[in-house]
Amino acid sequence: MTNKTIVIIEDNRLILQMTTLFLKGFGYKVRKFRSGIGIDEILKKEKCVPNLFIIDICLIPPEDGRNIYNTIRSETSVFKDVPILLCSSMQKRFVMDFKFNDCNEPHFLEKPFSREQLENKIKLLATT
Amino acid sequence: MAYKKQQENRGTVLSNCFMTNTAKEIRTHLQVIKSLNEILQDTLHGIPGNLPTKYLKRMTIEIDKVTKVTNDFGDTFDLLNEVFELEYEVIDFDYVIKLAVLSVKDSILNKIIISGKTEKKVKVDANKIIKVIKCLLTNAAQYSKQTDYIHVTLTTSSVEDHVVICIQDHGIGIAKNKQKNIFEKKDYNKKVQDDRYPGLGVGLYLSKEIVERHDGHIWLDSSLKNGSKFYFSIPIIK
């Protein structure tokens, strides 16, 4: 068990539940959300500084995971240096053609992913 | 006339949208099924004489097949609408092959043996070339026994300065009279697909399109009951 925390934003209840189970299985603490609205304040209140965000792109409209990505990466955000993994059931070429507020290409995982694929991505990202 | 064209465009946009959303929905549900399957396998782990685990592992293969069909579905549609854009990069050909073989490791039970090396660089859309190799490897596995080896051989053709890959199986082979149209689109009015081998039947058609867009060639050498060798070549970057 590490002390690392992963914040996951996913609107599909079942996927959220099972991905959380996997993440806990890898030894992480998980804070889960079905929407990104107000999480900034909630996390600040809980004094939670995550080691990684996992964000689904296609949330319940009008929410879009890519906008949450840009908000987290904005200059004023306290979480601007926290790694983010975007995931989606849409193929990469449909969703990554977007103006991201980041000089690096965002990390992306396409659904359906296996537990192993998820673990490999997380090992790579949740290092700090 | 202009109105008709406008209507056609509208139709294309609508059907594109419909296809993309359908594929997205299927992938979302597949994610749930795939995760449930993995969790069930964990729950049953370690029980002796465990038949359910065997079935669940079989189910994983089926899930990956549905994923493949869903991706094929989108790609074929893109191709038909000419939005199949290639993103070229200069890359080590042998490395692309390694990546492709690794990517099928979980879905193919056959042992894959790679021999030879080209040590050449090619200018390709690596993801698309990986797609071609995956298609050829999956076909090789589908038409072979699980215990059969699949051989992947890498060479260079000195005449045309191409790298050549050969994927050989020892399966049921393809009769000469069926080889002529094997890379063409299938006619779905005829019952040509064998139910034992699901798929859209567009893998080879897509592969040919992808290889030819890289100025390469694709061909085969096979006879009934003697297995098949599928080859494709890509120009070398000097």
Side-chain angles (χ1 to χ4, degrees), chain A residues 66-113:
Chain A
R66 297 172 298 186
N67 291 331
I68 301 177
Y69 186 100
N70 280 350
T71 311
I72 294 174
R73 281 284 172 272
S74 66
E75 272 308 308
T76 51
S77 161
V78 285
F79 304 119
K80 66 173 191 276
D81 297 321
V82 178
I84 306 173
L85 174 63
L86 287 172
C87 58
S88 181
S89 305
M90 297 280 266
Q91 280 172 297
K92 194 175 176 181
R93 65 178 186 279
F94 291 118
V95 285
M96 297 309 265
D97 187 14
F98 184 83
K99 205 170 169 0
F100 284 103
N101 186 12
D102 202 329
C103 46
N104 301 314
E105 194 192 340
H107 296 278
F108 180 76
L109 186 59
E110 188 177 295
K111 291 177 192 168
F113 52 78

Side-chain angles (χ1 to χ4, degrees), chain A residues 89 91 93 111-113 115, chain B residues 27-28 31 38 42 78:
Chain A
S89 305
Q91 280 172 297
R93 65 178 186 279
K111 291 177 192 168
F113 52 78
R115 176 167 41 188
Chain B
R27 280 195 207 93
T28 302
Q31 179 67 59
E38 288 188 306
D42 274 1
D78 287 352

Side-chain angles (χ1 to χ4, degrees), chain A residues 12 14-15 18-19 21-22 58 88-91 93-94 110-117, chain B residues 20-21 23-24 27-28 30-32 34-36 38-39 42 67 71 74-75 78 106 131:
Chain A
N12 184 302
L14 275 170
I15 296 180
M18 285 183 284
T19 312
L21 203 65
F22 288 159
C58 305
S88 181
S89 305
M90 297 280 266
Q91 280 172 297
R93 65 178 186 279
F94 291 118
E110 188 177 295
K111 291 177 192 168
F113 52 78
S114 66
R115 176 167 41 188
E116 194 187 349
Q117 286 168 322
Chain B
T20 315
N21 287 338
K24 175 189 167 276
R27 280 195 207 93
T28 302
L30 282 173
Q31 179 67 59
V32 176
K34 204 175 170 100
S35 302
L36 279 173
E38 288 188 306
I39 292 167
D42 274 1
T67 310
N71 291 342
D75 289 347
D78 287 352
D106 293 335
K131 206 162 256 198

Side-chain angles (χ1 to χ4, degrees), chain B residues 11-192:
Chain B
T12 313
V13 171
L14 277 177
S15 47
N16 256 333
C17 201
F18 172 72
M19 290 290 298
T20 315
N21 287 338
T22 308
K24 175 189 167 276
E25 280 306 307
I26 297 172
R27 280 195 207 93
T28 302
H29 295 299
L30 282 173
Q31 179 67 59
V32 176
I33 301 169
K34 204 175 170 100
S35 302
L36 279 173
N37 176 296
E38 288 188 306
I39 292 167
L40 277 174
Q41 282 193 48
D42 274 1
T43 318
L44 296 166
H45 185 72
I47 300 171
N50 195 343
L51 202 56
T53 300
K54 198 177 146 197
Y55 292 155
L56 285 170
K57 281 192 176 149
R58 179 68 225 176
M59 196 172 149
T60 310
I61 297 173
E62 294 300 322
I63 295 167
D64 290 338
K65 277 186 192 169
V66 181
T67 310
K68 180 183 167 287
V69 170
T70 315
N71 291 342
D72 270 7
F73 204 45
D75 289 347
T76 317
F77 201 73
D78 287 352
L79 197 64
L80 298 173
N81 283 300
E82 292 179 326
V83 291
F84 201 93
E85 283 168 19
L86 299 181
E87 289 167 23
Y88 290 101
E89 60 181 315
V90 175
I91 191 167
D92 190 77
F93 185 67
D94 301 359
Y95 177 65
V96 177
I97 308 300
K98 262 191 202 152
L99 286 182
V101 170
L102 271 178
S103 71
V104 293
K105 206 183 75 186
D106 293 335
S107 51
I108 289 182
L109 297 169
N110 305 62
K111 188 162 185 198
I112 302 170
I113 295 167
I114 307 178
S115 53
K117 51 186 169 184
T118 68
E119 292 175 333
K120 299 286 182 201
K121 290 208 180 300
V122 285
K123 190 179 177 188
V124 294
D125 181 327
N127 284 331
K128 299 290 187 299
I129 293 297
I130 288 174
K131 206 162 256 198
V132 174
I133 299 161
K134 274 172 90 171
C135 163
L136 297 177
L137 287 172
T138 320
N139 279 354
Q142 272 185 354
Y143 296 96
S144 309
K145 279 187 241 144
Q146 283 175 8
T147 46
D148 284 346
Y149 285 6
I150 296 170
H151 292 271
V152 176
T153 315
L154 303 175
T155 48
T156 48
S157 100
S158 51
V159 196
E160 281 187 89
D161 281 353
H162 278 54
V163 282
V164 182
I165 173 172
C166 168
I167 292 169
Q168 182 184 12
D169 68 62
H170 304 277
I172 55 176
I174 302 156
K176 292 280 175 213
N177 62 350
K178 292 203 172 151
Q179 289 180 19
K180 201 179 146 203
N181 297 324
I182 197 152
F183 294 109
E184 303 304 318
K185 268 187 278 186
K186 302 284 187 284
D187 179 357
Y188 287 100
N189 290 326
K190 292 176 191 162
K191 174 93 177 133
V192 286

